[in-house]
């Protein structure tokens, strides 16, 4: 009987590896973004991030080997840089959905503070280049799918300047909301949809 009790205890004994709790991981992501927005990437302290999340610094290093890996995974974990690829039936409708989703992202107060820091950090160091390249590639892939659908519907020429067209999709919102810090209202979005539709058709 005693031997069985020991065996049962041994089977239930933790292996020594800490359990990675999803809710704590989410809390660490939120804390990272809050710290990042306040201090910038260079000034970000993982100790303060852990304190914000109500955890110890070891909780971070059990998940990510470095601040860079932590930051990259945090960006990938959220919908901040992602867009859907649903066919809305026309170029104008697809542009509208792209702008609506992008505006929703850029209206978030943390995003509006982190994005300029990302751009500035890239000028200071190459540390975040791979992550920023990945974000840019993902967004441009969405743009290419949008253009492909419009070409298939005979709304655009096959030989259009794709790079220029994709640059146009994001430039106005970024300039108004991030560079100038201004609001972008629904009426502004409606006008921009019409303007972009016309502009892209001339690319």
């Amino acid at each position: 009987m005693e031997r069985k009790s020991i065996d049962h205890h041994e089977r239930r004994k933790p292996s020594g590896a800490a359990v990675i709790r999803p809710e704590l991981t989410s809390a660490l992501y939120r804390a990272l973004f809050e710290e990042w927005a306040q201090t910038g990437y260079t000034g970000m302290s993982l100790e303060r991030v852990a304190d914000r999340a109500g955890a110890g610094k070891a909780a971070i290093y059990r998940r990510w080997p470095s601040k860079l890996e932590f930051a990259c995974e945090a960006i990938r974990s959220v919908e901040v840089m992602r867009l859907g690829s649903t066919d809305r039936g026309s170029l104008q409708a697809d542009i509208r959905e792209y702008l609506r989703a992008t505006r929703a992202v850029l209206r978030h107060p943390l995003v509006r503070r982190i994005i300029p820091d990302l751009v500035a950090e890239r000028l200071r160091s190459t540390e975040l280049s791979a992550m920023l390249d990945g974000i840019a590639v993902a967004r441009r892939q969405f743009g290419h799918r949008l253009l492909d659908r419009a070409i298939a519907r005979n709304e655009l020429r096959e030989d259009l300047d794709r790079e220029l067209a994709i640059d146009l999709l994001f430039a106005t919102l970024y300039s108004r909301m991030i560079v100038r810090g201004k609001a972008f209202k629904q009426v502004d979005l409606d006008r921009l949809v019409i303007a972009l539709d016309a502009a892209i058709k001339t690319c």
Side-chain angles (χ1 to χ4, degrees):
M1 178 67 71
E2 183 179 356
R3 179 62 183 170
K4 286 183 179 180
S5 176
I6 293 173
D7 288 345
H8 178 69
H9 174 72
E10 288 178 348
R11 284 196 300 270
R12 296 189 60 184
K13 184 170 63 177
S15 64
V19 176
I20 303 297
R21 294 186 288 123
E23 64 274 14
L24 178 54
T25 301
S26 297
L28 288 168
Y29 285 149
R30 288 193 300 272
L32 174 77
F33 290 131
E34 290 169 358
E35 175 76 7
W36 195 339
Q38 182 173 329
T39 69
Y41 179 79
T42 301
M44 187 162 52
S45 161
L46 294 187
E47 288 87 353
R48 289 196 299 268
V49 171
D51 286 344
R52 285 177 183 270
K57 190 176 177 181
I60 294 175
Y61 284 110
R62 280 198 297 269
R63 291 163 171 81
W64 307 282
S66 68
K67 182 171 77 170
L68 177 62
E69 289 296 324
F70 184 11
C72 291
E73 193 62 31
I75 291 291
R76 288 192 291 265
S77 74
V78 296
E79 297 300 320
V80 168
M81 297 301 171
R82 302 178 191 172
L83 291 169
S85 57
T86 304
D87 186 346
R88 300 288 172 171
S90 70
L91 177 60
Q92 272 202 19
D94 280 357
I95 290 172
R96 181 180 299 279
E97 176 58 19
Y98 181 92
L99 295 178
R100 184 205 62 76
T102 301
R103 184 182 70 152
V105 167
L106 297 183
R107 290 175 73 178
H108 194 289
L110 293 182
V111 172
R112 294 177 74 165
R113 297 174 69 178
I114 288 172
I115 288 180
D117 182 68
L118 279 169
V119 175
E121 190 63 32
R122 185 171 198 167
L123 296 175
R124 290 190 293 261
S125 166
T126 60
E127 186 176 3
L128 296 178
S129 293
M131 178 180 67
L132 292 174
D133 288 344
I135 292 170
V137 167
R139 292 190 66 86
R140 296 187 83 81
Q141 285 175 343
F142 175 88
H144 282 293
R145 291 194 295 272
L146 184 153
L147 298 177
D148 286 339
R149 293 196 296 268
I151 290 170
R153 292 190 294 257
N154 296 315
E155 293 178 284
L156 295 175
R157 306 187 323 275
E158 290 190 17
D159 63 345
L160 86 159
D161 186 336
R162 285 173 169 264
E163 294 304 303
L164 176 57
I166 293 171
D167 285 343
L168 288 171
L169 280 172
F170 188 63
T172 303
L173 282 178
Y174 182 85
S175 176
R176 174 82 66 88
M177 300 180 71
I178 300 299
V179 177
R180 298 177 59 206
K182 302 294 184 180
F184 203 90
K185 300 177 181 178
Q186 183 62 45
V187 65
D188 299 320
L189 189 143
D190 293 339
R191 291 170 181 162
L192 182 57
V193 169
I194 296 170
L196 286 177
D197 177 70
I200 289 173
K201 286 175 178 175
T202 68
C203 288

